[in-house]
Amino acid sequence: MHRRDFFKLMAAGAGAAAFPLASNIGYAANSPTAAKDGSTTSFPASDWDAVVKEGWGTTGNQAGADTWDGVPLKAPAIPDLAGTGPFRPDWDSLLNYETPEWYRDAKFGIWAHWSPQCVPEDSDWYARNMYIQGQGQYKTQLNHYGHPSTFGYKDLCAQWTLLNWEPEALMARYKKAGAKLFLALANHHDGFDTWNSKHHAWNAQNIGPHRDVISAWAAAARKHGLRFGATVHAARNWWWFQVAHLCDKTGPLAGVPYDGHLTMDQGQGQWWQGYDPQQLYCRKHGFHENPDESYVRNFYDRVRDLVDQHDPDLLYFDNTGLPLGWAGMNIGAYFYNHNLQTRSGKMEAVLNIKGVPDNQARAVVADYERGVTNRIMPYAWQSETCIGDWHYNRARFLYHYYMKPDQVIHWMVDVVSKNGTFILNIPGKPDGTNDADEIAILEAIGNWMQINGEAIYATRPWKVYGEGVHKAKAGAFAGHSTSELDARDIRFTRNKKDDAVYAIVLGWPEGENFVIKSLGTAAATQPGKIQKVELFGCPEKLAWTQSASSLTVTKPKARPCNFACALKVSLA
């Protein structure tokens, strides 16, 4: 029997006995089961395009002034939302934040972007696209699981078993690859929490692996000496999952509601008895209807619970700005205050958001999804990318088209040269393992870091980030422009003592010499007199000369490593 056939059989019958009744699990905060018009059925076919189009949030003037996509920035009269401490939920207060030294030293982290959406092994946004007729993942759903009116995302949640997951072994692998920081997905836009959430019944302790995934990841990371971060993506659930309330526009099942219309009462005798699908999919609501207060309060409660239970060093929001108005602003302040309390008054928290304007750049660590900058940034920032898709895509393994190790190294080096930290997602298989290609990529990165890590860890930007033929394009989703970098390009870092510059050559140049113009005595960088030049991984004593125009270093006979090579230049 094929794996997917087995899971279809399990969900149809055996699942009813596999999960405990949860009649007392749930909460009033996010449990409305009807839209304002009282309907609990699917959107009609005439509304299909509008629901799909608005999947990422309110647009235009519908959001309203002084809001985050319609959610007021001003908090309701609830005590202690920001916790106890010096930080308040406003930007003037958050600007008193300073990025901790550990983060500025770490430079490289691994991310495990795992959720039930990896079960079909069919890439990103499966939970949403399986409800959009015509999408490739909708077709996958029909072919492997059944129509979303009878087998929905709720049923996939039960199949995210992580049967072969060994978090400590994986963490040892990530540490060997050179990571100093580990990030775990706390939830995605799909609304499934991967920890034992006190405020959301659809979580990994109750359903699927029956384990607190975040707790296990955090324990493994700390045991191996890595800092731990948790990433939160659920703010967009209000808009993103309205497609679960759709129905087919055409075909034999046109007009038959998808399972997003189901209520807790309809779960009697089903494996999900006692769980309210409306909490997972979010209740049906009208176009441009702003998130209601119960939804926002529940988001706040869940994130605060995540911070209280697991005390992450880093908290990441997959949003432009702090999400959901007053909820995000208060969580930001709460996270900083909580961190001070748990670390004897020393600030060690890192808070990531996207689309950070210059006047707020000091208050958080700006994140550039799959992106880089084109200059040295005045404050620490973060670049994140993935060797493939965020959620596991089996085709990338079958056809071997992950990012190559040299692309990863070049991207990371470019980021570090510009005052950034680089985060690499390694998508996990649904059983909790990495495939052979992912393991090989991690081993290659680790081998390079073992030789050249001094030029990366605990470094700071030099006077210029680099020189050469190519420049990376700035902005989110522009990071793959670093794939153009080659042996004609050099990136610089320096040690914190400021008595050594690291010149990282992004390849093995043609000819007999390394030629570095920025280290010439007459260069605009004014490097001063060079005392010593070393090539990491090379036992030979190098011949070199410093002239007005450049530092010229004779290449050794043997290349010490692949992908890029780092010269340590000691200054007077």
Side-chain angles (χ1 to χ4, degrees), residues 99 102-112 174 177-183 226-227 231 314 316 350 352 365-373 379-388 390 403-426 441-442 444-446 448-449 455-460 472 475 477-483 485 493 504:
T99 308
W102 74 259
Y103 180 81
R104 299 195 66 198
D105 289 348
K107 301 304 182 188
F108 177 47
I110 295 290
W111 189 1
Y174 302 151
K180 302 292 186 181
L181 166 65
F182 177 79
L183 279 64
L226 278 68
R227 294 283 183 158
T231 72
L314 180 149
Y316 164 110
V350 173
N352 291 145
V365 174
D367 179 84
Y368 290 67
E369 181 175 353
R370 293 193 187 267
V372 293
T373 69
Y379 301 106
W381 61 283
Q382 181 170 291
S383 172
E384 45 151 302
T385 193
C386 181
I387 60 171
W390 292 113
M403 283 180 69
K404 304 302 181 185
D406 61 334
Q407 295 174 302
V408 174
I409 296 297
H410 291 180
W411 191 323
M412 175 177 64
V413 170
D414 187 75
V415 167
V416 173
S417 73
K418 297 169 182 174
N419 204 25
T421 294
F422 179 70
I423 306 297
L424 182 68
N425 179 53
I426 305 296
I441 292 168
L442 288 166
I445 295 169
W448 190 89
M449 294 291 275
I456 301 296
Y457 302 125
T459 60
R460 298 293 182 267
F477 301 98
H480 283 291
S481 61
T482 58
S483 63
L485 300 173
T493 60
I504 307 172

Side-chain angles (χ1 to χ4, degrees), residues 447-448 451-452 507-508 535-538 558-566:
N447 291 338
W448 190 89
I451 294 171
N452 301 285
W508 192 247
L535 178 63
F536 289 128
C538 175
R559 182 174 178 171
C561 60
N562 295 321
F563 318 135
C565 49

Side-chain angles (χ1 to χ4, degrees), residues 346-359:
K346 182 180 180 181
M347 173 56 72
E348 294 194 338
V350 173
L351 180 62
N352 291 145
I353 56 174
K354 301 174 181 179
V356 181
D358 289 344
N359 65 344

Side-chain angles (χ1 to χ4, degrees), residues 115-118 120 123-132 137 141 152-154 156-157 188-191 240-241 243-244 281 391:
S115 80
Q117 289 184 82
C118 70
S123 188
D124 301 331
W125 280 32
Y126 190 95
R128 175 174 165 80
N129 292 336
M130 62 174 279
Y131 292 105
I132 302 176
Q137 289 155 314
Q141 182 67 21
Y153 184 63
K154 69 182 188 309
L156 280 179
C157 292
H188 198 250
H189 315 309
D190 59 4
W240 196 81
F241 236 169
V243 292
Y281 299 130
H391 280 91

Side-chain angles (χ1 to χ4, degrees), residues 11 45 87 121 241 257 296 367 490:
F87 288 96
E121 301 183 343
F241 236 169
V296 180
D367 179 84
I490 301 170

